Amino acid sequence: MGTSGRRGRPRDEEADARILDAAGDLLLERGYDRMSVDEAATRAGVAKTTLYRRWPTKDHLIVAVVARIQDAVPVAYSGDVRADLTAYLNAITDGLNRMRQVARPATAGDMSAGLVAEVAAAAARHADVGAAVQAMFTRRNALVVTLLEQARLHGELRAETDPEVLFDQLAGALYYRLLVTGRPIDAAYVDRLVTGALDGATS
Amino acid sequence: MGTSGRRGRPRDEEADARILDAAGDLLLERGYDRMSVDEAATRAGVAKTTLYRRWPTKDHLIVAVVARIQDAVPVAYSGDVRADLTAYLNAITDGLNRMRQVARPATAGDMSAGLVAEVAAAAARHADVGAAVQAMFTRRNALVVTLLEQARLHGELRAETDPEVLFDQLAGALYYRLLVTGRPIDAAYVDRLVTGALDGATS
Amino acid sequence: MGTSGRRGRPRDEEADARILDAAGDLLLERGYDRMSVDEAATRAGVAKTTLYRRWPTKDHLIVAVVARIQDAVPVAYSGDVRADLTAYLNAITDGLNRMRQVARPATAGDMSAGLVAEVAAAAARHADVGAAVQAMFTRRNALVVTLLEQARLHGELRAETDPEVLFDQLAGALYYRLLVTGRPIDAAYVDRLVTGALDGATS
Amino acid sequence: MGTSGRRGRPRDEEADARILDAAGDLLLERGYDRMSVDEAATRAGVAKTTLYRRWPTKDHLIVAVVARIQDAVPVAYSGDVRADLTAYLNAITDGLNRMRQVARPATAGDMSAGLVAEVAAAAARHADVGAAVQAMFTRRNALVVTLLEQARLHGELRAETDPEVLFDQLAGALYYRLLVTGRPIDAAYVDRLVTGALDGATS
DNA sequence: CGTTAACCGAGACGGTACGTCTGGTCTTTAA
DNA sequence: TTAAAGACCAGACGTACCGTCTCGGTTAACG
């Protein structure tokens, strides 16, 4: 008992990073389909067993990769919701656009949902991956929802405003364009979006 | 001398339908991963070559299947945007929820993006599939965007309203919940959504 | 209505030749496996149906091709068996060596049985092809066996000589080298062969 | 330290035997064409990959099968070449006749070259298979050529006798009948053959 | 200091689907 | 009736890749 007393050879912690790096590179180079776990292991200088001991499935692996890529966007209420939201959504947009080139030989003017779509599909296939993805997004989004709540209490937003729904509208529009309609996303669109959402449609 | 006069044995048009039916059934029974092109062909009573002559890839096939499933939601402006939008979004919601059970042994209370995610991934993998998917959605959505435009001209919506953005907000929220956060979608949520979008956040 | 009176479109007699030419070329370029009936038809400017109406099987077709390639070696007894045999075997040898390059990217010093082996295999697979091949060879060989018989009656060969066996020994040695051991065949070998067969091993 | 220290999971040596057994049985049951690599693997209780790791092609596989069937015919010079040769050729004849039934629904009185022809064709198609076949026969035949050489030195054969050519004549005649003319081979023919080859045709 | 437990690299293995190819047949329209 | 064109059926081929397993060998903590 005592402290715990892990027995046996300890895991090579560096290996985790090397594997995620290699897998990430391959993902960016070739996309989900055209990359293989085998090659990721080889490129990381690691045996396949070592990789599978950590992530039991290709889907689990790539979700881990994406989770690591997800940059922590700093969120804090400044007293100006519009500015805060615009900054946040632009950060997200940058991230999404970076993942767009992936998985297809980036033909000019040709947009793809790339990695994001693969993550969504992986989540749809394995319940535990789905849970992980949702947890990841919930964590990320909670901060913004809180920010919206603060703005509401502060009087910047109407009292009836539903922060969760408002956030869904904003983030949703971005992902919808990315995953479904394939239309471009940029700062100009973010502006139209924030304006539309904050001002509302009816008077 | 007339149009032309196709030569050679004409394609069996019935086969198309039989294949799509079989593939659709399999997709619903087993999901993308666990179904095979081979079995779809067999079940349709068709040789694999016949199938591959029409859809060069499993991904192409399933997109065709989904395109056919897409039910034509009738859209017409009644003079009451809120009602029209609510009806439309509820129809979409029903369709999405039907596709949710797919691709995972529907554990109770466990939501999945199912087929929709697979289609998004297929679109991300093949440029031509992506184009087809986008065309499909563009066609479907154009009607609603037109409806919103009519409502704006009619004075139901503010003059500054951006119909495209407004639609992205609405549809986007649904797909975002489906594909990313995995949260449930139902009539109650649709209400909150329409209210939030129409009323706006800032007074 | 008389005896018959062929009705309908008459067969294109030229087509036979064009098909055999095309098939022969392909056979020489690529070999049995790597050539397809489809391509032969295309290259002959003929529909597959037309080809199959004439030769019901790929194997039948190539046997027809080979039969046509088989050059008629003139055989007549001159009074000098050794000379006659040597001439005949050299002609055969030339033919075999011509068929050797076939079916493999003629690496230097690398001998192959090429077409001959494929014909043998085709004969082994279909009884009727086998019969055709045997008939072809029987016809060709009968002349030489007759020649040997004449030489025997003429006193050039011993009375006990068995012409059939003698011929088997000579032709057999060539084909054995071609099909089995892959060793080279040339005029020098033909000389050794004729000498060995005529002179015998014991006293 | 010694030679090395194999790494990785060792090959299942038993699998080789099981595969060759299964493939051999199928070959005998159905013949080359009508048997499939897939079924051989299944019947051997082995994954197709395992089979293809060992033999990269159906042709490679069947040559391996035949090589194993090839029974080691014991050869030793007894002082009586005629007897030795007769015994040896009869053994070969038995082997060839056993392989004759293969690959065609043995119609009575209908002879086929069966497996032997397929092996010859396989050798013609792949350079490496050809090399293997030739090596196999070279090994087998070397003993007999040596025996003939001994008989020559012993005075049983004329000093001018060319052992290699003599052997080609004998074995060649058998294979010629098998592969080309399709005529029967039996003990009586072997006798005529040995007599003809040893006694010679001229005086 | 030896035992033991967990790790590591390498690579074979089972399973399974993919997409391709080809042999031969069938169905059209035109000659 | 034959021709050309091309779709169709059937089924094998060889490849790819996932995730598991089996080796020999290493690296700790425990007794």
Side-chain angles (χ1 to χ4, degrees), chain C residues 75-78 81 84-85 142-152 157:
Chain C
V75 177
Y77 181 44
S78 69
V81 227
D84 289 348
L85 278 179
L143 298 173
V144 185
V145 174
T146 303
L147 184 154
L148 291 176
E149 186 60 24
Q150 287 178 296
R152 189 173 67 91
L157 299 180

Side-chain angles (χ1 to χ4, degrees), chain A:
Chain A
M1 48 221 53
T3 44
S4 80
R6 211 43 101 258
R7 289 243 274 176
R9 176 171 176 175
R11 281 206 185 167
D12 180 352
E13 299 297 345
E14 274 181 62
D16 294 56
R18 284 214 313 280
I19 293 170
L20 291 177
D21 283 343
D25 290 352
L26 277 172
L27 220 38
L28 294 176
E29 279 173 33
R30 292 222 241 298
Y32 183 86
D33 266 38
R34 285 175 285 276
M35 78 98 131
S36 74
V37 175
D38 238 278
E39 193 174 3
T42 303
R43 196 182 281 206
V46 143
K48 249 202 305 184
T49 343
T50 301
L51 190 156
Y52 273 103
R53 198 172 296 116
R54 291 157 164 81
W55 300 279
T57 276
K58 183 178 183 178
D59 283 340
H60 288 82
L61 173 61
I62 69 134
V63 170
V65 168
V66 172
R68 217 176 53 140
I69 292 180
Q70 290 277 16
D71 16 51
V73 183
V75 177
Y77 181 44
S78 69
D80 180 352
V81 226
R82 174 175 297 257
D84 289 347
L85 278 179
T86 302
Y88 180 74
L89 292 179
N90 274 318
I92 298 291
T93 298
D94 290 347
L96 293 181
N97 280 328
R98 249 182 289 126
M99 293 204 231
R100 252 190 156 162
Q101 241 71 17
V102 177
R104 231 161 61 191
T107 317
D110 166 38
M111 300 277 89
S112 146
L115 258 185
V116 184
E118 297 296 356
V119 171
R125 284 193 282 257
H126 312 278
D128 56 346
V129 171
V133 170
Q134 293 172 22
M136 179 171 84
F137 279 94
T138 302
R139 208 178 322 114
R140 253 173 66 124
N141 297 345
L143 298 172
V144 185
V145 175
T146 302
L147 183 153
L148 292 175
E149 186 61 26
Q150 288 178 297
R152 188 174 69 91
L153 296 176
H154 206 257
E156 263 204 299
L157 299 179
R158 296 173 41 188
E160 301 87 352
T161 300
D162 185 334
E164 187 191 353
V165 167
L166 177 55
F167 182 78
D168 284 354
Q169 285 175 23
L170 295 166
L174 297 181
Y175 280 89
Y176 184 65
R177 293 198 141 219
L178 177 72
L179 292 170
V180 179
T181 62
R183 313 220 44 196
I185 323 175
D186 53 20
Y189 181 74
V190 167
D191 271 341
R192 287 166 67 196
L193 186 57
V194 173
T195 300
L198 293 188
D199 296 353
T202 57
S203 107

Side-chain angles (χ1 to χ4, degrees), chain A residues 33 104 118 123-125 134 141 158 162 164 168 176-177 181 183 189 192 198-203, chain B residues 33 104 118 123 125 134 141 158 162 164 168-169 176-177 181 183 189 192 198-203:
Chain A
D33 266 38
R104 231 161 61 191
E118 297 296 356
R125 284 193 282 257
Q134 293 172 22
N141 297 345
R158 296 173 41 188
D162 185 334
E164 187 191 353
D168 284 354
Y176 184 65
R177 293 198 141 219
T181 62
R183 313 220 44 196
Y189 181 74
R192 287 166 67 196
L198 293 188
D199 296 353
T202 57
S203 107
Chain B
D33 268 36
R104 228 162 62 194
E118 298 295 356
R125 284 193 280 255
Q134 293 172 23
N141 297 345
R158 297 173 41 186
D162 185 334
E164 187 191 353
D168 284 355
Q169 285 173 24
Y176 184 65
R177 292 200 141 217
T181 62
R183 315 222 41 199
Y189 180 73
R192 289 167 65 196
L198 293 186
D199 296 353
T202 57
S203 110

Side-chain angles (χ1 to χ4, degrees), chain D residues 56-74:
Chain D
T57 278
K58 185 178 183 177
D59 282 340
H60 288 80
L61 174 61
I62 69 133
V63 168
V65 168
V66 172
R68 219 176 52 139
I69 292 180
Q70 289 279 13
D71 17 50
V73 182

Side-chain angles (χ1 to χ4, degrees), chain C residues 33 104 118 123-125 134 141 158 162 164 168-169 176-177 181 183 189 192 198-203, chain D residues 33 104 118 123 125 134 141 158 162 164 168 176-177 181 183 189 192 197-203:
Chain C
D33 265 38
R104 231 162 61 193
E118 297 297 355
R125 284 192 282 256
Q134 292 171 24
N141 297 345
R158 294 173 42 187
D162 184 336
E164 187 190 353
D168 284 355
Q169 285 174 24
Y176 185 64
R177 292 201 141 216
T181 62
R183 313 220 46 197
Y189 180 73
R192 287 167 65 195
L198 293 186
D199 295 354
T202 57
S203 111
Chain D
D33 268 38
R104 227 161 64 193
E118 297 297 354
R125 286 193 280 257
Q134 293 172 22
N141 297 345
R158 296 172 42 186
D162 186 334
E164 187 190 352
D168 284 355
Y176 185 64
R177 294 198 139 218
T181 62
R183 315 223 41 200
Y189 180 73
R192 288 166 66 197
L198 293 187
D199 295 354
T202 56
S203 110

